[in-house]
Amino acid sequence: MGIRWPRVLTPKQLSQIIQSQKNPLKALQLFDEAKFKYPTYHHNGPVYGTMINILGRSGRTAEMKRVINQMKDDSCECHDSIFVSAISSYAQAGLTNEAMSLFKSLPEFNCIDWTRSLNTLLEILVEESKLESVYQLFLENSCRWEVKSRAYFLNLLMNVLCKLKRSDLALHIFQEMSYQNCYPNKESYRILMRGLCEEKRLNEATHLLYSMFWRISQKGSGEDVVVYRTLLEALCDNEEGEEAISILGKVLRKGLKAPKRCYKQIDHFRCQNGADTEDMKVLINEALIRGIVPSSDSYSAMAIDFYAEGKIDEGNKVLKEMHHRGFKPSVWIYEAKVSALCRDGQVDEAVVVIDSEMMQKNCVPNIKLYNGVIKGLCHERKSTSAVKYLERMSRQVGCAPNYETYETLVDGLCKDGKYVEASKILEQMSSNSFWPRVETLNSLIKGLCQVGDLHTAIMCLEDMISLASTPNIQVWQSLLETICCENSGIEKQLQTLL
């Protein structure tokens, strides 16, 4: 079916046209054709971004590179997000050197903010343990006016050093942050405190905590409670309970500005006599929950931190206290809770959260929550139950299923041997302009051949070819074996009739 071109073409219209194409090479053909059909038309940054994103997602890095060079030659104004997408695509294809080469060529483009591109590339290099390249790249670009903030990178570097058990170097970076025209944020303190405590550098961790008090307003800062808790629990683990209680009092008075009744209620006798390490932690956490500045942000910070550590019971206590104080839990708390339950294998409990608990609290699930439950159910081989959430998302306003939703469901159904159901989900996925990965189609076609559904397998093969992808050799073998089996069956039936 041919494309119906408008009388006058705008970049927005071209973006819509190429996004509707199933075959990325067909989209590229239309992208190139537009300039010849409309002599006065010029591509702008967003339409280049759309084309680069389409090619990157489909693994067409050579074609993507050509479009990027064309964008450079056109000298049109382009956003940092275009390069973030291209750098990520190169990394997924194992072409980190190409990603670095693209970043180094950014001065040749009409782009005035490289912050996200730099952060994305540094993250990739850190994941690949290329720390020398990370250091060199930062030195070359940290002082450029196109890089608006250095805090994210310095936090990233501190996190890497702490994981390498070099919190001493992380502390040095922390102390030098002000010389980089940036100041430590909550994440900086959290990363460094955790690193110091894991290496038992508790004196330096204590000094770090006291330094936090200087930057806190007269009202206190409840969100910092996650940093305080890290030190207090580390002191308990190191059998320094008395020191933990002493610091807890200072935290409640100076850090959280808690009312006197909160730190007067601490059971010092119980803490110092007969309480084991875990009991001490429970008492301290209860004191912090009661003592934090009553606000949605402070409760959220503490609950999310508990769930991230897998401490589901403690997180539930924060939710209970939050409800008692009249605060409505945010959707981000439920995201953390569902994620913690799924990691712990409590998928049925995660389903109760999204089906019942959130409904009672008048909190509407978002796409991340649905995807979390779907992923958990598929991991537990309950993909059939996960399909109902796809239907629920489709009915909910502003929560349409995304690529991750469909991909997780198709993969989950295939692992459970539900190949026909997976093909139906794939059909919905394609109708919403989300194109599956080649690996997903390979797995589905082989599965359909195994269950003898040759017709659907061939339809999936046609989808694969329309995406300009080629099946692997195992898929062709499965198709041939299924065709031969069907022909053999037909021959036997004919012999019986004759």
Side-chain angles (χ1 to χ4, degrees):
M1 183 177 173
I3 299 298
R4 185 175 180 180
W5 293 93
R7 188 172 61 85
V8 178
L9 182 69
T10 64
K12 185 177 180 180
Q13 288 173 322
L14 183 58
S15 290
Q16 292 170 345
I17 289 170
I18 60 177
Q19 279 179 319
S20 67
Q21 300 305 307
K22 199 170 185 179
N23 188 332
L25 297 181
K26 176 64 175 177
L28 180 59
Q29 180 188 334
L30 295 172
F31 176 84
D32 292 333
E33 194 177 320
K35 278 194 170 185
F36 296 102
K37 279 186 171 289
Y38 302 88
T40 59
Y41 168 83
H42 296 284
H43 295 315
N44 64 5
V47 78
Y48 270 116
T50 302
M51 192 67 252
I52 289 167
N53 193 32
I54 289 170
L55 293 170
R57 274 206 320 259
S58 61
R60 302 278 173 179
T61 52
E63 291 84 355
M64 183 180 76
K65 185 175 182 178
R66 177 175 73 77
V67 173
I68 290 171
N69 288 333
Q70 185 179 329
M71 180 174 69
K72 178 176 67 178
D73 294 339
D74 278 358
S75 193
C76 66
E77 186 178 339
C78 48
H79 196 268
D80 193 25
S81 60
I82 296 175
F83 301 106
V84 170
S85 173
I87 287 169
S88 300
S89 297
Y90 277 133
Q92 287 170 7
L95 300 171
T96 309
N97 289 337
E98 286 287 350
M100 288 186 68
S101 176
L102 172 60
F103 181 81
K104 289 177 180 178
S105 70
L106 286 188
E108 301 171 29
F109 292 85
N110 186 3
C111 181
I112 59 173
D113 185 356
W114 307 349
T115 310
R116 285 184 59 205
S117 297
L118 177 60
N119 290 339
T120 301
L121 182 55
L122 290 170
E123 274 185 10
I124 291 164
L125 293 172
V126 164
E127 285 176 9
E128 296 182 5
S129 301
K130 296 180 178 179
L131 299 185
E132 287 284 343
S133 299
V134 169
Y135 177 70
Q136 193 62 37
L137 197 63
F138 180 71
L139 281 184
E140 292 172 359
N141 297 280
S142 61
C143 294
R144 297 189 70 109
W145 65 269
E146 295 94 346
V147 178
K148 310 300 182 186
S149 171
R150 299 165 186 81
Y152 181 89
F153 165 72
L154 293 172
N155 286 344
L156 178 68
L157 189 55
M158 283 196 296
N159 195 32
V160 172
L161 291 168
C162 287
K163 286 179 179 177
L164 295 173
K165 304 299 180 186
R166 293 305 307 270
S167 59
D168 55 327
L169 295 177
L171 181 59
H172 180 70
I173 290 172
F174 179 88
Q175 292 165 344
E176 295 290 321
M177 284 183 82
S178 59
Y179 297 105
Q180 292 289 335
N181 295 322
C182 61
Y183 296 93
N185 54 24
K186 185 182 74 173
E187 186 66 9
S188 310
Y189 281 100
R190 188 191 68 79
I191 290 167
L192 185 56
M193 182 65 79
R194 188 154 290 176
L196 290 169
C197 290
E198 284 177 357
E199 291 187 50
K200 306 293 183 184
R201 303 167 70 98
L202 299 182
N203 286 333
E204 288 156 299
T206 303
H207 286 300
L208 178 66
L209 181 138
Y210 290 151
S211 76
M212 291 180 69
F213 293 159
W214 288 96
R215 69 178 182 88
I216 292 172
S217 66
Q218 292 298 311
K219 292 183 179 180
S221 178
E223 292 178 73
D224 291 321
V225 71
V226 296
V227 183
Y228 303 144
R229 191 174 67 79
T230 301
L231 174 60
L232 294 171
E233 290 198 353
L235 289 167
C236 290
D237 289 333
N238 205 45
E239 298 182 353
E240 297 182 36
E242 290 186 20
E243 179 69 9
I245 295 302
S246 172
I247 291 176
L248 174 62
K250 293 174 184 176
V251 164
L252 292 171
R253 285 195 301 274
K254 296 181 180 180
L256 299 176
K257 306 296 182 184
K260 289 183 179 179
R261 59 180 170 79
C262 290
Y263 44 87
K264 282 182 178 178
Q265 290 172 356
I266 301 171
D267 192 342
H268 291 271
F269 180 80
R270 185 183 166 195
C271 289
Q272 294 169 4
N273 297 277
D276 64 16
T277 299
E278 292 307 314
D279 285 341
M280 283 277 290
K281 289 181 182 180
V282 170
L283 290 168
I284 287 170
N285 286 332
E286 287 177 353
L288 289 173
I289 292 170
R290 289 196 304 270
I292 57 178
V293 180
S295 73
S296 182
D297 288 341
S298 57
Y299 284 122
S300 294
M302 196 165 188
I304 290 169
D305 196 53
F306 276 130
Y307 288 130
E309 292 178 12
K311 297 180 178 178
I312 297 168
D313 291 338
E314 287 85 345
N316 290 339
K317 285 180 184 177
V318 178
L319 272 181
K320 186 177 179 181
E321 179 72 13
M322 193 176 186
H323 181 67
H324 177 69
R325 294 288 187 94
F327 290 98
K328 180 183 175 181
S330 66
V331 71
W332 298 286
I333 293 179
Y334 287 116
E335 281 179 14
K337 183 174 182 178
V338 165
S339 180
L341 288 167
C342 289
R343 284 198 308 271
D344 198 45
Q346 301 182 50
V347 180
D348 292 336
E349 287 78 359
V351 168
V352 171
V353 170
I354 201 170
D355 285 350
S356 177
E357 186 178 336
M358 291 185 70
M359 193 175 294
Q360 290 172 5
K361 298 291 189 296
N362 293 319
C363 188
V364 180
N366 60 13
I367 193 162
K368 189 173 179 181
L369 259 168
Y370 281 122
N371 284 348
V373 170
I374 288 170
K375 189 174 182 180
L377 287 166
C378 289
H379 186 263
E380 293 293 316
R381 298 299 182 93
K382 297 179 179 179
S383 57
T384 307
S385 301
V387 173
K388 73 175 184 180
Y389 290 104
L390 178 65
E391 297 163 2
R392 187 164 155 184
M393 290 168 76
S394 301
R395 293 195 302 268
Q396 185 175 317
V397 177
C399 194
N402 61 10
Y403 178 83
E404 183 185 348
T405 313
Y406 290 114
E407 191 72 23
T408 305
L409 271 173
V410 173
D411 285 343
L413 288 165
C414 286
K415 285 176 183 175
D416 289 351
K418 309 282 185 181
Y419 299 109
V420 176
E421 291 85 347
S423 67
K424 291 176 182 176
I425 300 297
L426 187 69
E427 190 177 336
Q428 290 183 44
M429 183 179 184
S430 299
S431 66
N432 285 294
S433 298
F434 293 112
W435 318 126
R437 294 179 297 117
V438 174
E439 295 80 10
T440 302
L441 285 168
N442 279 331
S443 174
L444 181 56
I445 293 170
K446 284 171 67 178
L448 289 166
C449 289
Q450 287 171 14
V451 297
D453 193 343
L454 182 61
H455 175 70
T456 310
I458 291 173
M459 287 178 65
C460 289
L461 177 64
E462 289 175 355
D463 281 341
M464 199 172 191
I465 294 168
S466 70
L467 288 167
S469 300
T470 307
N472 61 31
I473 188 67
Q474 290 84 6
V475 170
W476 289 117
Q477 287 174 345
S478 296
L479 284 165
L480 286 171
E481 286 172 5
T482 307
I483 291 167
C484 290
C485 286
E486 284 210 354
N487 288 340
S488 175
I490 291 168
E491 286 179 7
K492 286 180 181 178
Q493 287 178 359
L494 286 172
Q495 286 174 2
T496 305
L497 290 171
L498 292 170

